[in-house]
Amino acid sequence: MQNKFSYPKEYTKKHIKSSTNFKNNKAQNKEPIKRMTKIQRQNIESKIQNQIFQTKPKNLLRELLSPDKVVIPSVKSDLLQIPKEDSFVWFGHSSLFFWLNSKTLLIDPVLKSCASPIPFLIKPFSGADIYSASDLPKIDYLFITHNHYDHLSKSTIKALVNKIGHVITPLGVGKYLIKFGIKPCQIYELDWDESLKLDSTLRTHCLTTRHFSGRGIFDRNKSLWASFMLESKDKKIFLSGDGGYGMHFKAIGKKFKYIDFAFIENGQYNIKWAQVHSFPKESLQALKDLNVKKAMPIHNSKFKISTHNWRDPLDSLLALYNKDENINFALLTPKIGEITPLWRDINTPRWWQEIKS
């Protein structure tokens, strides 16, 4: 591992000060987020009205306090048994676990935890939170895309702390991990467009996304948010993190030529934050821009963080996918907990269509 990216607090301060992605110690999107007028929001709503299954606007707080009552089907796999081929498991929302080149990688784990600082708010759906830290093997590399509660869970990190080898995060996130028990020497912080060689067969690239950060009222945009590309021998895996649609997807697609597997945000969208989360039509367009061979929608089916029904993101994306004759990539939708091979061609069931809710 390259020492110049390791955590030391003094280095992080210098790194942020010299970064073109920070201004006055606050992270900035490359494609700015602009305050929308009521008319602009209405225009966006009219454009997407016939493209997604979205109900009429609802009160967000009321929705969060009374989430969808659903039992999500899931499979409890034995994660201590190493698969014979590169594979992954989805834990719901944006949490993923990979076996890749004989290494284990964990992405944005939120296990046995709410997606908020308030214990009773934004609880996992029934059936969607079946794994705990004790179910996981040793973790060679933990990736955190940004510091929001639905991606960085204090209780999960504390429970996993003795299993974690190295942590890769965007610039500024290390300080939270240290508070949760991770040692500074384990943490590697990257700015956008920086790369890190993890071992002889695995490299990661920290890439831009269009979002924001913060866990409270005093740390808004004090740390960076990111997407990541994993390069393993001749394979590439894209991890979108959170973010609205933007020109960066075409730029990433152009830079990396093609992507073997993309895990793309699709869920928790809302007109009010249309620039920092993607609607299903935008998620589909992003996959086209990226030139992917396989894709899986994430950021859904575990928490209710917006006003749409829990199944809308999957129904909407699949409807658009089936309608578009110019798509040449496979859309995988495994159940939570299923061990799924990364490179072998397989079909996955549209499991949510069997649920009446």
Side-chain angles (χ1 to χ4, degrees), residues 106-323:
L106 182 61
I107 319 298
D108 288 354
V110 181
L111 308 175
K112 301 299 179 184
S113 175
C114 293
S116 105
I118 304 172
F120 62 83
L121 195 62
I122 315 181
K123 292 181 178 181
F125 296 142
S126 179
D129 200 25
I130 59 174
Y131 287 91
S132 61
S134 61
D135 297 316
L136 272 65
K138 291 285 186 180
I139 301 151
D140 293 308
Y141 305 110
L142 168 66
F143 283 77
I144 302 294
T145 62
H146 61 296
N147 71 356
H148 284 159
Y149 285 91
D150 57 323
H151 295 259
L152 176 58
S153 164
K154 176 181 178 180
S155 61
T156 301
I157 299 301
K158 289 175 76 70
L160 288 169
V161 69
N162 293 324
K163 294 186 175 186
I164 296 170
H166 299 288
V167 187
I168 295 89
T169 77
L171 192 53
V173 178
K175 59 181 177 287
Y176 302 98
L177 294 162
I178 289 173
K179 290 179 181 178
F180 303 162
I182 303 293
K183 296 176 182 177
C185 62
Q186 295 175 269
I187 301 168
Y188 293 82
E189 291 190 334
L190 301 178
D191 199 355
W192 290 335
D193 301 318
E194 289 184 334
S195 301
L196 179 64
K197 186 177 180 181
L198 303 177
D199 60 33
S200 61
T201 63
L202 194 59
R203 176 180 292 273
T204 187
H205 307 269
C206 182
L207 303 170
T208 187
T209 185
R210 199 170 179 225
H211 201 52
F212 66 103
S213 67
R215 292 172 72 85
I217 59 176
F218 299 114
D219 65 348
R220 176 84 172 193
N221 293 347
K222 291 292 185 68
S223 62
L224 201 60
W225 46 94
S227 59
F228 287 98
M229 187 74 74
L230 302 174
E231 282 195 286
S232 167
K233 296 180 181 177
D234 60 341
K235 300 292 186 182
K236 303 186 191 81
I237 300 172
F238 179 70
L239 307 168
S240 74
D242 280 6
Y245 180 76
M247 297 308 295
H248 59 283
F249 288 111
K250 285 186 178 179
I252 292 170
K254 184 178 180 180
K255 178 178 180 179
F256 291 94
K257 310 300 183 186
Y258 68 90
I259 294 167
D260 295 280
F261 210 134
F263 294 84
I264 196 78
E265 181 207 290
N266 181 59
Q268 320 315 323
Y269 44 81
N270 190 294
I271 294 295
K272 292 182 178 180
W273 49 77
Q275 298 176 83
V276 295
H277 283 290
S278 297
F279 287 89
K281 181 176 177 63
E282 295 172 318
S283 296
L284 195 67
Q285 184 59 52
L287 293 170
K288 291 181 181 180
D289 294 347
L290 291 165
N291 191 23
V292 304
K293 295 181 179 180
K294 290 183 182 180
M296 178 182 170
I298 58 173
H299 210 243
N300 59 69
S301 303
K302 187 168 185 175
F303 301 112
K304 187 176 185 67
I305 307 178
S306 187
T307 55
H308 58 68
N309 183 276
W310 73 270
R311 63 187 299 153
D312 285 355
L314 296 172
D315 278 338
S316 302
L317 188 69
L318 183 61
L320 293 164
Y321 175 83
N322 288 335
K323 186 179 179 180

Side-chain angles (χ1 to χ4, degrees), residues 40-52:
Q40 287 174 321
R41 286 199 298 269
Q42 289 173 342
N43 287 338
I44 293 175
E45 189 169 17
S46 66
K47 287 180 182 179
I48 64 172
Q49 198 167 31
N50 297 321
Q51 298 165 351
I52 60 171

Side-chain angles (χ1 to χ4, degrees), residues 2-20:
Q2 300 171 11
N3 291 331
K4 75 171 186 173
F5 294 118
S6 57
Y7 176 74
K9 189 173 181 180
E10 296 75 16
Y11 167 72
T12 295
K13 287 182 178 180
K14 291 179 181 178
H15 203 173
I16 288 175
K17 189 174 182 179
S18 63
S19 172
T20 58

Side-chain angles (χ1 to χ4, degrees), residues 64-76:
L64 295 183
L65 292 174
S66 56
D68 296 323
K69 295 186 182 299
V70 60
V71 178
I72 302 293
S74 53
V75 178
K76 189 69 177 288

